Amino acid sequence: MHLDRSIAPDFKLISSINLPEAQTHTLGNGILLRVINIGEQPVIRIECIFEAGNWYEKQIGASYFAIKMLSEGTSRLNSGEISEAFDRLGAFTEMMHTSDRIGIVVYCLSRFLPEVLPLVSQLIQQATIPEKELEELRNITLQNLKVNKEKNAYLATTEFRARLFGTEHPYGQSQDEDNIEQLSLDAIRQHYNEFIKNGRFTVVLAGQVEEADITLINDTLGKSQIGPHQAKPAFIVKSAYQGQEAVIEKPEAVQSSIRMGRVLFNRHHEDYFKMLVTNEILGGYFGSRLMKNIREEKGLTYGISSHVATLRNAGYFMIGTDVKKEFTELTIEEIKKEITKLQTERIGEEELTTVKNFMAGEFAGSLNTAFEVADRQKVLLLDSLPADFFNHYIDKIQAVTSDDVLAMANLYLKPEDMIVVIAGGK
């Protein structure tokens, strides 16, 4: 059969998505268990998620080191024995840390869950935070920080968030040599005892799950003593960043990293979906206006992008790129030109339709595995969103009009409301 490559293949527009539902169970100690029972392979991912990120620290860095130290020793096993126990089962572990939360993530074959769960329970309940291993982790963290501080992109991003939220705010904090060196063992152990060993957490189980697995989780993680809910401290975004430009000079650098943006909102905001589409048009995908102008037409950079970052209690908009030093000011001017164009000229229907269809396809393509579905379900649960939030994702995207885009650009993309951070020089 001859294939005529001059004729495009048929395609079908994606009109809706039904996110597989999660089963909800309550363990014997009141812990919430969410189960996403899908997938063709006998693999399971179990997550224990604690509301214990930077928001709850008594000393900066305590939450990061508390979660990272769980696998460094318990009352029964040392770090080598813990690593060997997981390796013997073919299990892969991660210790997750964000500003909002921390957690333990374990991937394993379904049949090994009965042996993996007691190990996870032991990390939560019997971690000793040994001093020798802590000093090793401290030295590794300091060395990694030293390497990162040689990178313009790292410097620009951390300074950008610090300027937006303030260095004392959980979303503006970043690792600092002084904080790491001064962090005490007592502060780490206190965070562990208060928020992990005796703290409330959520369990998310995804993959091929059987009823026996749920019973097993209740018999291990559902027996521990759990303390009361901890009140979250209040932090105020008190930095006045609007209209400022911050330059981190690096005379030896050939390139500069540019970050430009402002504080925004999280998924609960009424303009969230409208802003997602507006962002996509400006710099959210490879065919965006910033890419066409600054990469393809001007050749100033290999890549430029913008994104709407959503955190639990806030959010921000950021444009990011790396350019040669001599192109720094020209690039910033071109970014502002594209923003002005978005604010003054109504987008054509063909371009708007292309962007919305791309976003619908990208979203549908992000739900191929049980673990990807679980990631979406986690967002619903942990950010207290409606159960049908993602089921209406495509409807909300397709409902955005050219007038909406014009309004969003004028409301949230004013350059005078943003800060520009440059690492490298101008």
Side-chain angles (χ1 to χ4, degrees), residues 160 164 241 259-263 317-319 417-420:
F160 175 78
L164 284 190
Y241 60 85
R259 300 293 182 267
M260 179 177 177
R262 55 161 295 170
V263 171
F317 169 79
M318 186 179 80
I319 299 169
D417 289 343
M418 299 185 189
I419 185 173
V420 176

mmCIF file of all heavy atoms in Angstrom, residues 160 164 241 259-263 317-319 417-420:
data_model
loop_
_atom_site.group_PDB
_atom_site.id
_atom_site.type_symbol
_atom_site.label_atom_id
_atom_site.label_comp_id
_atom_site.label_asym_id
_atom_site.label_seq_id
_atom_site.Cartn_x
_atom_site.Cartn_y
_atom_site.Cartn_z
ATOM 1 N N PHE A 160 15.232 35.301 42.587
ATOM 2 C CA PHE A 160 13.898 35.677 42.117
ATOM 3 C C PHE A 160 12.839 35.365 43.178
ATOM 4 O O PHE A 160 12.028 36.221 43.548
ATOM 5 C CB PHE A 160 13.595 34.924 40.816
ATOM 6 C CG PHE A 160 12.206 35.135 40.277
ATOM 7 C CD1 PHE A 160 11.870 36.299 39.601
ATOM 8 C CD2 PHE A 160 11.230 34.156 40.450
ATOM 9 C CE1 PHE A 160 10.589 36.489 39.104
ATOM 10 C CE2 PHE A 160 9.950 34.340 39.959
ATOM 11 C CZ PHE A 160 9.625 35.512 39.282
ATOM 12 N N LEU A 164 10.582 37.912 45.539
ATOM 13 C CA LEU A 164 9.116 37.873 45.474
ATOM 14 C C LEU A 164 8.490 37.744 46.859
ATOM 15 O O LEU A 164 7.562 38.480 47.201
ATOM 16 C CB LEU A 164 8.641 36.701 44.604
ATOM 17 C CG LEU A 164 8.752 36.811 43.086
ATOM 18 C CD1 LEU A 164 8.006 35.653 42.444
ATOM 19 C CD2 LEU A 164 8.209 38.136 42.564
ATOM 20 N N TYR A 241 8.678 44.251 45.453
ATOM 21 C CA TYR A 241 9.578 43.903 44.349
ATOM 22 C C TYR A 241 9.193 44.588 43.043
ATOM 23 O O TYR A 241 9.980 44.639 42.096
ATOM 24 C CB TYR A 241 9.546 42.388 44.122
ATOM 25 C CG TYR A 241 8.170 41.873 43.769
ATOM 26 C CD1 TYR A 241 7.713 41.898 42.461
ATOM 27 C CD2 TYR A 241 7.306 41.398 44.752
ATOM 28 C CE1 TYR A 241 6.440 41.460 42.142
ATOM 29 C CE2 TYR A 241 6.039 40.954 44.440
ATOM 30 C CZ TYR A 241 5.607 40.991 43.136
ATOM 31 O OH TYR A 241 4.346 40.557 42.820
ATOM 32 N N ARG A 259 15.391 36.046 34.904
ATOM 33 C CA ARG A 259 14.117 35.630 35.485
ATOM 34 C C ARG A 259 13.259 36.882 35.640
ATOM 35 O O ARG A 259 13.706 37.880 36.205
ATOM 36 C CB ARG A 259 14.318 34.949 36.843
ATOM 37 C CG ARG A 259 15.181 33.702 36.805
ATOM 38 C CD ARG A 259 14.528 32.574 36.037
ATOM 39 N NE ARG A 259 15.357 31.365 36.062
ATOM 40 C CZ ARG A 259 16.252 31.063 35.123
ATOM 41 N NH1 ARG A 259 16.446 31.906 34.102
ATOM 42 N NH2 ARG A 259 16.973 29.958 35.196
ATOM 43 N N MET A 260 12.033 36.811 35.169
ATOM 44 C CA MET A 260 11.146 37.971 35.200
ATOM 45 C C MET A 260 9.749 37.492 35.591
ATOM 46 O O MET A 260 9.260 36.502 35.046
ATOM 47 C CB MET A 260 11.121 38.623 33.812
ATOM 48 C CG MET A 260 10.223 39.821 33.674
ATOM 49 S SD MET A 260 10.395 40.526 31.997
ATOM 50 C CE MET A 260 9.178 41.839 32.084
ATOM 51 N N GLY A 261 9.111 38.154 36.557
ATOM 52 C CA GLY A 261 7.779 37.705 36.939
ATOM 53 C C GLY A 261 7.229 38.409 38.161
ATOM 54 O O GLY A 261 7.730 39.455 38.581
ATOM 55 N N ARG A 262 6.209 37.771 38.759
ATOM 56 C CA ARG A 262 5.484 38.387 39.864
ATOM 57 C C ARG A 262 4.775 37.320 40.686
ATOM 58 O O ARG A 262 4.618 36.176 40.243
ATOM 59 C CB ARG A 262 4.437 39.356 39.326
ATOM 60 C CG ARG A 262 3.484 38.711 38.319
ATOM 61 C CD ARG A 262 2.208 39.504 38.150
ATOM 62 N NE ARG A 262 1.431 39.503 39.386
ATOM 63 C CZ ARG A 262 0.360 40.279 39.578
ATOM 64 N NH1 ARG A 262 -0.044 41.106 38.634
ATOM 65 N NH2 ARG A 262 -0.301 40.212 40.716
ATOM 66 N N VAL A 263 4.332 37.697 41.895
ATOM 67 C CA VAL A 263 3.502 36.812 42.711
ATOM 68 C C VAL A 263 2.142 36.676 42.036
ATOM 69 O O VAL A 263 1.594 37.647 41.506
ATOM 70 C CB VAL A 263 3.346 37.378 44.138
ATOM 71 C CG1 VAL A 263 2.312 36.579 44.922
ATOM 72 C CG2 VAL A 263 4.693 37.376 44.862
ATOM 73 N N PHE A 317 4.221 33.813 38.666
ATOM 74 C CA PHE A 317 4.434 33.747 37.221
ATOM 75 C C PHE A 317 5.899 34.060 36.962
ATOM 76 O O PHE A 317 6.443 35.006 37.539
ATOM 77 C CB PHE A 317 3.536 34.757 36.508
ATOM 78 C CG PHE A 317 3.870 34.942 35.049
ATOM 79 C CD1 PHE A 317 3.462 34.015 34.105
ATOM 80 C CD2 PHE A 317 4.611 36.047 34.640
ATOM 81 C CE1 PHE A 317 3.786 34.182 32.764
ATOM 82 C CE2 PHE A 317 4.942 36.225 33.300
ATOM 83 C CZ PHE A 317 4.521 35.287 32.355
ATOM 84 N N MET A 318 6.543 33.280 36.099
ATOM 85 C CA MET A 318 7.963 33.509 35.831
ATOM 86 C C MET A 318 8.305 33.231 34.381
ATOM 87 O O MET A 318 7.871 32.239 33.801
ATOM 88 C CB MET A 318 8.838 32.634 36.725
ATOM 89 C CG MET A 318 10.326 32.933 36.603
ATOM 90 S SD MET A 318 11.361 31.906 37.689
ATOM 91 C CE MET A 318 11.435 30.376 36.737
ATOM 92 N N ILE A 319 9.077 34.145 33.798
ATOM 93 C CA ILE A 319 9.686 33.955 32.485
ATOM 94 C C ILE A 319 11.165 33.693 32.725
ATOM 95 O O ILE A 319 11.808 34.389 33.526
ATOM 96 C CB ILE A 319 9.516 35.205 31.600
ATOM 97 C CG1 ILE A 319 8.040 35.492 31.368
ATOM 98 C CG2 ILE A 319 10.241 35.026 30.263
ATOM 99 C CD1 ILE A 319 7.776 36.847 30.742
ATOM 100 N N ASP A 417 4.642 45.673 37.186
ATOM 101 C CA ASP A 417 4.279 44.899 38.374
ATOM 102 C C ASP A 417 5.248 43.749 38.628
ATOM 103 O O ASP A 417 5.067 42.969 39.567
ATOM 104 C CB ASP A 417 2.865 44.331 38.236
ATOM 105 C CG ASP A 417 1.793 45.404 38.340
ATOM 106 O OD1 ASP A 417 2.118 46.504 38.837
ATOM 107 O OD2 ASP A 417 0.643 45.145 37.934
ATOM 108 N N MET A 418 6.261 43.606 37.779
ATOM 109 C CA MET A 418 7.169 42.467 37.857
ATOM 110 C C MET A 418 8.545 42.889 38.355
ATOM 111 O O MET A 418 8.877 44.064 38.400
ATOM 112 C CB MET A 418 7.308 41.808 36.486
ATOM 113 C CG MET A 418 6.004 41.273 35.916
ATOM 114 S SD MET A 418 6.297 40.393 34.365
ATOM 115 C CE MET A 418 4.615 40.138 33.795
ATOM 116 N N ILE A 419 9.328 41.888 38.715
ATOM 117 C CA ILE A 419 10.741 42.085 39.012
ATOM 118 C C ILE A 419 11.561 41.367 37.947
ATOM 119 O O ILE A 419 11.124 40.329 37.411
ATOM 120 C CB ILE A 419 11.115 41.539 40.411
ATOM 121 C CG1 ILE A 419 12.572 41.886 40.732
ATOM 122 C CG2 ILE A 419 10.896 40.039 40.511
ATOM 123 C CD1 ILE A 419 12.997 41.554 42.156
ATOM 124 N N VAL A 420 12.715 41.925 37.624
ATOM 125 C CA VAL A 420 13.650 41.286 36.707
ATOM 126 C C VAL A 420 14.919 40.956 37.489
ATOM 127 O O VAL A 420 15.506 41.837 38.128
ATOM 128 C CB VAL A 420 13.995 42.202 35.505
ATOM 129 C CG1 VAL A 420 15.050 41.541 34.627
ATOM 130 C CG2 VAL A 420 12.748 42.540 34.714
#
